[in-house]
Amino acid sequence: MKELWKQIKSAVWDFADGYGKIIAVALVVLCVGVLAISIVKKIVKKTSTKSRKIDNSAASFITAIVSLIAYTVLFIIFIAALGFSTEGIIAGLSSVMLAVALGLQSTLASLANGILLIFTKPFKAGDFVDIGGTSGTVKEIKLFSVKLLTTDNLTVIIPNNTVFGSTIINYSKLPVRRLDMVLSVSYDSDVDKVKQVVLDYVAKDERIAKDPAPFFRLTEYGASSLDFTLRVWAKVEDFWSVKFDLLEGFITLFRENGIEVPYDTLDVHVVKSDKGV
């Protein structure tokens, strides 16, 4: 029994003497590597967050990518420090990555487009956009999809590859937006009076920009009306309230100034034949 115990102790000592140093070095490399990655992650996150050209979603993504690459490299270094060959590991990782890439082509396409969305920034969270006919406020921009909240309080998730394959209209990108309206009046109306009344009314609305100046001209002879085009500029946040207020205000304005607003009518003529039918 004593002899067996001596053999075990000898084997443990030989192992510790032969491989203990290697394992110790590998563990030191692992600990130092984890600490270094933690410091690098903090530096990258802090730097990218402070950058005016990179938003929070891009900063998080950059930090995650740096972390993934760093831990992969650290794993390979750790295996090498233990004395194992890394060629097989690298080849295995390459094969796995290729298999994953082939199996997840659509998902990777969304991921690639998500990266493009983050860095090209055609829109940001809070913008009101139209993506391929779907309108709503951008709530989240993720690596694989974009979340919209529609005006009727529905949540719409659009894959990023669909986003980049669609026409994107960003209504919030610029601070001001042009409002176009067509106003129709009777052919009996005084054109100069209509222009003066409308422009005076528009000038009183402080939400409407003075520069560019409001545009209001006769632009078409309609089938039963003179059609005027009104173009004014307003801040994005005032756009809809200005439009609805003008629509309601012009009706009252025209009535007060005796300007007739035409509408479609149907005249029915009853013709009596010679036979009395």
Side-chain angles (χ1 to χ4, degrees), residues 68-86:
L68 177 62
I69 294 173
Y71 277 114
T72 302
V73 173
L74 176 61
F75 174 73
I76 294 174
I77 294 174
F78 176 71
I79 295 298
L82 288 174
F84 296 102
S85 174
T86 58

Side-chain angles (χ1 to χ4, degrees), residues 9-27:
K9 288 176 62 178
S10 177
V12 171
W13 179 258
D14 291 340
F15 177 81
D17 186 52
Y19 295 99
K21 293 179 180 179
I22 296 175
I23 295 174
V25 171
L27 290 175

Side-chain angles (χ1 to χ4, degrees), residues 30 33-39 41 63-78:
L30 181 63
V34 171
L35 180 61
I37 290 173
S38 178
I39 295 173
K41 282 174 60 179
T63 305
I65 289 297
V66 170
S67 177
L68 177 62
I69 294 173
Y71 277 114
T72 302
V73 173
L74 176 61
F75 174 73
I76 294 174
I77 294 174
F78 176 71

Side-chain angles (χ1 to χ4, degrees), residues 125-186:
D127 285 354
F128 188 83
V129 301
D130 183 293
I131 301 175
T134 302
S135 300
T137 302
V138 179
K139 302 305 292 183
E140 288 183 283
I141 304 173
K142 298 183 178 180
L143 292 178
F144 296 98
S145 63
V146 171
K147 181 189 289 186
L148 296 184
L149 183 65
T150 64
T151 53
D152 52 347
N153 205 35
L154 298 177
T155 298
V156 180
I157 307 297
I158 305 177
N160 287 333
N161 52 350
T162 301
V163 173
F164 261 94
S166 306
T167 299
I168 302 172
I169 302 174
N170 189 339
Y171 295 100
S172 305
K173 188 73 172 180
L174 299 175
V176 293
R177 182 178 168 189
R178 194 181 77 185
L179 168 63
D180 292 3
M181 299 178 64
V182 175
L183 302 178
S184 300
V185 299
S186 168

Side-chain angles (χ1 to χ4, degrees), residues 43-56:
I43 294 173
V44 170
K45 186 174 183 179
K46 185 176 181 180
T47 304
S48 56
T49 302
K50 286 185 176 180
S51 175
R52 295 181 179 179
K53 296 182 179 181
I54 302 176
D55 57 20
N56 290 335

